[in-house]
Amino acid sequence: MVKLSFLKVLRERLNISRLAIKYSRVTIGFWIAMVVAGLLAFSSLKYALFPDITFPVVVVNAQVPLETAVETEQKLTQPIEERLLPLAGLDQMVSSTYPGRTVVTLYFDVGTDLNSSSMEVEKTLWQIAIPEGATFQVIPFNLNESSAVSYTIKSDTKDLKELADIAKTSILPEIAQLPGVLKVNLLGGGETTFTALNSGSDLTKQAPEIIKEEQQRDNPESPIPITPTRIRFNGQEALAFQVIKGGDANTLDVVSRVEEAVQRLQASLPEVQLVLAVTQANYIREATQSTIDGLVLAIVLAVLVIFTFLRNWRATLITALAIPISLLGTAIVMAIYGFNLETITLLALALVIGIIIDDAIVEVENISRHLEAGESPRQAALSATNEIGLTVSASTLTIVAVFLPVGLMGGNLGQFFKPFGLTVSAAVLTSLLVARTLCPVLAVYWLKPRQGKREKGTGNSKQETVNREKLSTVVFDFWLRFNPKYPDLLHWSLGHRKFVVGLAVLSFVAGISLIPLIPQGFIPTLDRGEFMITYTAPLPQMPSASQFGDLIDKILNLGGFDYNSEESKPLSNSDTNSDTNSDTNSDTNSDTNSDTNKQLKPQLSKSGFNGLFPIQSGMQLLLKQSEQVAKQLEEAVLAFPEVESVYTVVGVQGEPNKGNLQVKLKRNRQYTTAQLQEKMRAALPKISGVTTSVEDIQFIELPTQKPVQVALLGDDLEVLGNTAADLKTRIETLPGLVDVEATGQNNRGNRITEIEHVNGQRGVYVRASLNQGQRLGDATEEVVKVAKMVLPDGVRLELWGDSALSSHVLGSFAGTLTLSVTCMLLVLILPFGRLLEPMVVGLSLPLSIVGAMLALLITQSDFGMISLIGLIFLLGLLDKNALLLMDYVNQLRRAGLSRTEAILETGVVRLRPIIMTTASTILGMLPLALGFGAGAELRQPMAVAIIGGLLTSTLLSLIVVPVLYTLLEDCWLGLLSGIALRASQKSEVRSQK
């Protein structure tokens, strides 16, 4: 009696619907105010592709007057790394050591304050005992301060020098003063990069400061590097200006302002053409719009499902209003936390459409059922909300318990999914308030009593079935008449419990066994309709001062560098010396080199010297040589009719021998981006000594962008280099892996030019791109398997880059999933007051595995981070279905029905809302699962997993949950009776003694 009284009091206290109906005007006024506030909040949200996360990086550039890389490593690199490695918040540390110079790059945890980390690094460096004459520079980098848009500058009447003057005086100053712009770089012409900086900390108020080339030469410590470049656009030489946005600025806002400014500048400069070359904005707009379109279509389909089942436009309207009102309430929370409307949060909103409408469906359907029983609208609303309120509240709180840990995940992955977890939690809580307050009030005023009353009580299931058949839809009648009748199936299942449990176990085992057959991925590759071709040409070895005169004589006499001579071995800062599109043993292209050298020799002979080195002339020479490579690659790429434009930068990252070609494809084309990448990879010319790589464009610019990366760690540099070369050769034979490269290939014998460290230990890297159809997880497994075959003693393997993230994602989500399930089960103890119902829910959760895995296998969608989010969502929805069944069973048993009668009656009463919520969720996910629009690759795996999991979990839970309910209760009662029997026997023994 105490437990029943407690549950009754709890149910009444959670029935806030009673207060909402009593003060209906206040309720309606509150939600009108919420809608207005939500509209204002929604209008303030910005569009983006991914969450706004800070990626803090600090680079230490140290120099010392030492002759060899090994000596520099011992006296400079190792002391620096030993002191920096224990720094708080440090995630990874890598370094490259050259003779007399070391570059240490520190990657801090996402969200770490960049300024404080930079100051801590500098403070630590001053405490290190470094060799005499050593200097260091600490440079903080925020990877969010990235290129937002680039425009080429062309003219039919002016040469590049005239265009550069116009850009410096008329274009860059105006662009640099735009809000959100950090700086603007003028690229091309082979000249030193010209930069217009926004000098103030408040980018929207301060005027720009123009930093001229002469100032850079006089101030070598300036953070703006002297990096001459050459720009080509669609096969022609041009200039370009690159707009770098501030770390806190929104990409779309910055690009929109730049576009407006370009239109004004174009009108004032009729002889100059400003042509859009590169931007992320177009894809961001398309991807977010596609997700919004899918969201709207999901809402429409969900509403159609409701009307199909209820056949009552008033009830349908009440339920449908819950969706926009809940979303607007969620927008308020998103605005408070500073979230954007980006792929992750839009996925969260699309995901919760089924949950949002689920609460309203259960409330309105239950009120409609009481109306069918002959009650007045007000009494029906009070009775129905009191009956179902505890179940709806508990089920919604369990969903919050499932998703809140996702928003509180630690590490870089947790920061990425924080907006997701908090957005889902806010949405379901808002939908709960709408369902418990607004829906009952509207039902009182809008719903009308029906003809054909039902007998009072809940025991007359036959009369209830008759009334339902009169009022239900054709679809629902078809379900009851032409499919196995659910009550009969449920009755049979209760009599064959071992068979049902065996079926559930078999389905779980089948789902687990399907996982190895599913493509293992991380984050699906997005088909942006553009990609990058990078190349690295051989770079002559930098001579010592004593050797420089002889080398200059050779250059002048030979007319250029001889790539095959001993003095011109490639520098160690190139990542590799060969790949699938290069042949280092073949002869150089003599015709091309000869033509180029004839042009370069007069320029070199007339150049002046800067100290010991002719910096400008040397750069010009290398840029010219590198540009010849770019021309040949451009010619092959532009031969494809699917190519719209090619934007080429020669001299990237301050290295004149490196360049990249950004290829943009036409919208209306026959092949996908991945297919064209494969075709171009095969069509690129094989240039002697030149390495090429076809890569996807990263949204966060990193030095190495290949998805598959492993690090080989050890002490012997020669062994590491040989092992990397062997591994590279073997990986090149694996299907699906292309553009394989290995570092450490130039360290041979006593000739050590570069020493790389990974978290303080010597190492080399092996990297590869993925071919069409290959998944990151599968490729990483193959590479690891091959690596184990070639690793000698003293060398160990460590995953790196996306490969490491892919391997960690399952572990991170496993911990989060365990925490989510634990929180959900603890929440369930509150409404039921015992462990039986939470145990039934916990044991029924795996029922969705088989459907989700089968759907991913059939569609060949990745089993990765996005599909795992879908599986977490399934936990919440399956939990709601189980609660709907068990709570009503308990109510009927308290009303006097036997357990079997209560279960059969519950099956009849709760079948319709369960089928309605499942159908609305599946149809809501259908637009995302079909994979239409930009960014579909990111949305599809989640939707596919949800649809497949819902189909099997709903069908199985309708019979498994009641069976588990009876089975566990019998076991519990049997255990208690056994304990009581043994206790009584012991008592009798004591009394006899």
Side-chain angles (χ1 to χ4, degrees):
M1 293 297 295
V2 174
K3 180 185 290 187
L4 294 179
S5 176
F6 168 75
L7 291 177
K8 183 178 180 180
V9 171
L10 183 63
R11 190 179 299 276
E12 291 179 353
R13 287 185 176 180
L14 289 177
N15 187 18
I16 59 176
S17 304
R18 187 182 300 275
L19 291 175
I21 294 172
K22 183 177 180 180
Y23 302 101
S24 57
R25 293 184 178 180
V26 175
T27 301
I28 294 175
F30 170 81
W31 284 111
I32 291 175
M34 184 70 74
V35 168
V36 174
L39 289 172
L40 294 175
F42 181 81
S43 63
S44 69
L45 298 179
K46 306 293 185 182
Y47 288 94
L49 189 65
F50 290 117
D52 188 10
I53 300 174
T54 301
F55 295 88
V57 177
V58 177
V59 175
V60 178
N61 188 359
Q63 295 182 346
V64 65
L66 297 174
E67 293 292 331
T68 66
V70 174
E71 190 179 10
T72 305
E73 176 195 33
Q74 295 173 349
K75 296 183 178 181
L76 185 64
T77 305
Q78 290 179 352
I80 290 176
E81 290 182 338
E82 288 174 0
R83 295 300 299 269
L84 294 180
L85 198 57
L87 287 180
L90 181 63
D91 182 35
Q92 295 174 343
M93 180 176 66
V94 296
S95 67
S96 296
T97 303
Y98 313 97
R101 178 170 172 256
T102 184
V103 178
V104 182
T105 304
L106 300 99
Y107 297 91
F108 288 87
D109 292 333
V110 170
T112 304
D113 183 73
L114 180 60
N115 292 330
S116 61
S117 298
S118 178
M119 293 175 61
E120 187 66 25
V121 169
E122 190 165 2
K123 177 182 176 181
T124 303
L125 289 176
W126 281 113
Q127 301 172 359
I128 300 175
I130 56 178
E132 184 178 355
T135 60
F136 65 84
Q137 183 181 18
V138 178
I139 308 172
F141 286 100
N142 183 351
L143 296 183
N144 283 345
E145 296 174 354
S146 58
S147 175
V149 62
S150 296
Y151 279 83
T152 59
I153 308 173
K154 300 173 17 178
S155 176
D156 297 330
T157 59
K158 298 183 181 298
D159 58 24
L160 294 183
K161 187 178 185 306
E162 292 174 317
L163 287 177
D165 293 337
I166 294 174
K168 294 174 185 178
T169 57
S170 302
I171 299 177
L172 267 67
E174 182 167 346
I175 300 296
Q177 69 183 355
L178 297 175
V181 173
L182 180 68
K183 61 182 179 180
V184 186
N185 297 326
L186 179 63
L187 308 176
E191 301 296 332
T192 302
T193 298
F194 180 92
T195 299
L197 274 182
N198 194 316
S199 60
S201 58
D202 186 351
L203 297 179
T204 63
K205 295 179 180 179
Q206 300 295 329
E209 176 185 356
I210 305 301
I211 309 296
K212 297 184 180 294
E213 305 97 309
E214 291 78 12
Q215 294 174 313
Q216 299 304 301
R217 298 190 187 99
D218 296 338
N219 182 16
E221 298 297 323
S222 171
I224 304 176
I226 304 176
T227 55
T229 58
R230 288 187 178 274
I231 297 296
R232 299 179 61 82
F233 189 68
N234 290 337
Q236 297 181 349
E237 194 168 6
L239 299 181
F241 68 86
Q242 179 190 48
V243 180
I244 306 298
K245 75 178 187 68
D248 298 330
N250 180 267
T251 300
L252 291 186
D253 288 346
V254 171
V255 173
S256 296
R257 297 185 187 112
V258 172
E259 289 172 345
E260 294 175 359
V262 166
Q263 291 180 359
R264 295 193 301 268
L265 290 169
Q266 187 67 81
S268 61
L269 300 171
E271 296 183 351
V272 177
Q273 292 91 47
L274 303 178
V275 182
L276 178 65
V278 177
T279 181
Q280 295 183 10
N282 292 337
Y283 184 81
I284 294 174
R285 293 188 185 107
E286 293 173 3
T288 52
Q289 188 59 49
S290 296
T291 308
I292 293 174
D293 292 342
L295 181 63
V296 173
L297 184 55
I299 295 173
V300 173
L301 292 175
V303 172
L304 289 177
V305 169
I306 300 169
F307 181 76
T308 302
F309 277 90
L310 293 180
R311 289 291 182 147
N312 185 323
W313 71 267
R314 295 174 186 269
T316 301
L317 181 59
I318 294 173
T319 308
L321 283 176
I323 301 177
I325 294 176
S326 298
L327 293 180
L328 289 175
T330 307
I332 298 175
V333 177
M334 293 175 63
I336 292 174
Y337 278 93
F339 296 156
N340 296 320
L341 284 174
E342 33 82 13
T343 303
I344 299 300
T345 52
L346 286 173
L347 273 178
L349 295 177
L351 189 70
V352 298
I353 292 299
I355 299 178
I356 288 174
I357 205 170
D358 184 19
D359 291 337
I361 285 174
V362 173
E363 292 280 358
V364 174
E365 194 275 340
N366 208 40
I367 294 173
S368 299
R369 188 170 58 83
H370 279 267
L371 283 173
E372 295 168 13
E375 297 179 4
S376 65
R378 185 180 184 85
Q379 183 59 40
L382 291 172
S383 301
T385 54
N386 186 62
E387 175 185 289
I388 205 71
L390 182 61
T391 304
V392 172
S393 300
S395 61
T396 300
L397 291 176
T398 57
I399 292 175
V400 175
V402 167
F403 279 100
L404 200 55
V406 176
L408 301 178
M409 286 174 61
N412 296 344
L413 195 62
Q415 292 294 321
F416 192 77
F417 276 100
K418 177 181 178 181
F420 183 92
L422 295 183
T423 299
V424 171
S425 300
V428 296
L429 287 175
T430 306
S431 71
L432 175 64
L433 287 177
V434 173
R436 301 292 296 137
T437 58
L438 184 61
C439 288
V441 170
L442 295 179
V444 170
Y445 289 103
W446 289 359
L447 297 186
K448 304 299 180 183
R450 301 255 183 186
Q451 299 295 326
K453 297 182 179 181
R454 174 190 165 203
E455 297 176 6
K456 290 188 177 182
T458 54
N460 196 340
S461 61
K462 181 177 180 180
Q463 179 65 37
E464 183 185 15
T465 303
V466 172
N467 286 328
R468 185 169 57 255
E469 288 180 352
K470 290 179 181 178
L471 299 171
S472 61
T473 64
V474 175
V475 175
F476 196 75
D477 287 337
F478 179 84
W479 171 271
L480 288 179
R481 294 175 183 177
F482 298 99
N483 286 274
K485 293 184 178 179
Y486 177 54
D488 296 337
L489 176 62
L490 187 55
H491 189 273
W492 181 88
S493 300
L494 293 174
H496 300 79
R497 297 188 297 184
K498 292 183 179 179
F499 177 82
V500 173
V501 172
L503 179 64
V505 173
L506 182 62
S507 69
F508 173 71
V509 172
I512 297 297
S513 63
L514 290 176
I515 293 179
L517 304 178
I518 301 170
Q520 307 293 309
F522 176 46
I523 295 180
T525 302
L526 300 178
D527 189 346
R528 296 175 51 180
E530 54 187 356
F531 56 91
M532 188 85 72
I533 299 176
T534 65
Y535 70 86
T536 302
L539 186 64
Q541 183 179 352
M542 188 65 69
S544 63
S546 60
Q547 298 171 329
F548 185 72
D550 294 339
L551 181 59
I552 291 298
D553 290 338
K554 289 186 178 183
I555 294 174
L556 294 175
N557 293 331
L558 297 174
F561 284 107
D562 180 6
Y563 281 174
N564 293 327
S565 70
E566 183 62 29
E567 293 82 3
S568 61
K569 297 298 183 183
L571 270 179
S572 59
N573 60 356
S574 60
D575 288 334
T576 181
N577 63 353
S578 64
D579 79 341
T580 55
N581 287 336
S582 64
D583 183 6
T584 55
N585 297 322
S586 61
D587 295 334
T588 59
N589 189 325
S590 58
D591 294 336
T592 302
N593 289 343
S594 177
D595 293 341
T596 304
N597 294 337
K598 289 178 181 178
Q599 298 173 6
L600 295 180
K601 186 174 180 180
Q603 298 178 13
L604 183 60
S605 62
K606 296 177 182 178
S607 63
F609 287 84
N610 185 350
L612 292 175
F613 300 94
I615 295 177
Q616 292 302 315
S617 60
M619 282 290 186
Q620 290 291 340
L621 171 67
L622 296 173
L623 282 173
K624 277 290 187 181
Q625 293 280 12
S626 185
E627 188 177 17
Q628 295 300 320
V629 175
K631 288 180 179 179
Q632 296 182 55
L633 297 178
E634 284 177 345
E635 184 178 354
V637 173
L638 290 171
F640 284 81
E642 295 85 359
V643 173
E644 180 177 315
S645 64
V646 179
Y647 173 70
T648 303
V649 180
V650 180
V652 297
Q653 299 176 5
E655 301 183 57
N657 65 317
K658 292 186 177 182
N660 57 49
L661 290 73
Q662 185 153 335
V663 182
K664 183 178 181 180
L665 303 176
K666 296 177 181 177
R667 288 179 174 272
N668 299 322
R669 59 183 187 273
Q670 182 180 357
Y671 301 103
T672 65
T673 300
Q675 291 172 331
L676 285 171
Q677 283 178 319
E678 186 175 356
K679 289 179 178 293
M680 288 188 189
R681 188 176 286 115
L684 290 178
K686 293 179 174 59
I687 307 174
S688 175
V690 175
T691 68
T692 59
S693 179
V694 180
E695 302 173 354
D696 294 317
I697 298 175
Q698 304 294 316
F699 290 98
I700 299 297
E701 298 179 4
L702 296 172
T704 56
Q705 300 182 349
K706 294 184 184 295
V708 180
Q709 299 186 56
V710 294
L712 304 179
L713 307 180
D715 297 324
D716 193 317
L717 293 176
E718 188 170 359
V719 172
L720 287 174
N722 293 336
T723 305
D726 188 10
L727 180 58
K728 171 181 177 292
T729 302
R730 292 172 181 261
I731 291 177
E732 286 174 336
T733 63
L734 296 177
L737 290 169
V738 293
D739 299 335
V740 187
E741 61 184 29
T743 64
Q745 302 304 290
N746 298 314
N747 296 329
R748 291 292 185 271
N750 295 326
R751 183 174 174 272
I752 307 298
T753 57
E754 179 185 15
I755 303 175
E756 294 178 297
H757 281 194
V758 179
N759 292 326
Q761 187 173 0
R762 283 180 172 180
V764 294
Y765 300 96
V766 179
R767 308 183 180 102
S769 297
L770 298 177
N771 207 342
Q772 179 186 356
Q774 181 63 281
R775 301 307 201 279
L776 177 61
D778 298 332
T780 302
E781 289 181 3
E782 291 295 325
V783 170
V784 172
K785 187 184 301 182
V786 172
K788 290 180 178 179
M789 299 169 58
V790 301
L791 288 183
D793 294 337
V795 177
R796 63 185 180 89
L797 179 76
E798 184 172 315
L799 296 180
W800 204 250
D802 286 351
S803 294
L805 291 175
S806 175
S807 65
H808 295 332
V809 65
L810 289 177
S812 299
F813 268 98
T816 302
L817 192 62
T818 302
L819 179 60
S820 297
V821 172
T822 303
C823 294
M824 179 182 66
L825 298 180
L826 290 176
V827 170
L828 289 178
I829 296 177
L830 179 62
F832 291 106
R834 60 177 182 173
L835 292 174
L836 174 63
E837 286 80 5
M839 289 178 63
V840 172
V841 171
L843 291 175
S844 63
L845 291 179
L847 297 178
S848 61
I849 295 293
V850 61
M853 296 301 106
L854 187 61
L856 291 174
L857 179 62
I858 293 174
T859 60
Q860 285 295 291
S861 299
D862 287 1
F863 180 64
M865 191 162 58
I866 302 301
S867 55
L868 284 172
I869 287 293
L871 293 180
I872 293 178
F873 168 80
L874 288 172
L875 300 182
L877 201 63
L878 185 58
D879 158 66
K880 291 176 75 73
N881 293 341
L883 288 183
L884 279 175
L885 294 170
M886 290 187 295
D887 181 65
Y888 198 62
V889 168
N890 291 340
Q891 291 185 46
L892 295 181
R893 293 180 70 181
R894 287 193 293 268
L897 271 67
S898 66
R899 187 177 69 180
T900 301
E901 290 175 340
I903 290 175
L904 294 176
E905 178 73 7
T906 297
V908 174
V909 172
R910 291 289 182 251
L911 180 59
R912 181 168 69 172
I914 289 176
I915 297 301
M916 288 172 63
T917 55
T918 301
S920 62
T921 304
I922 289 176
L923 289 179
M925 289 289 104
L926 191 59
L928 303 182
L930 292 177
F932 296 132
E937 302 86 358
L938 198 62
R939 302 184 294 266
Q940 190 176 35
M942 182 192 71
V944 167
I946 290 173
I947 291 176
L950 272 181
L951 288 173
T952 57
S953 64
T954 300
L955 296 176
L956 289 174
S957 65
L958 287 172
I959 60 172
V960 174
V961 169
V963 167
L964 287 176
Y965 177 84
T966 61
L967 193 61
L968 291 180
E969 188 176 57
D970 290 345
C971 291
W972 179 251
L973 292 177
L975 179 63
L976 291 180
S977 62
I979 295 174
L981 178 61
R982 286 193 295 270
S984 62
Q985 290 175 348
K986 289 181 181 179
S987 177
E988 291 178 1
V989 171
R990 291 194 189 98
S991 63
Q992 290 176 359
K993 291 182 178 180

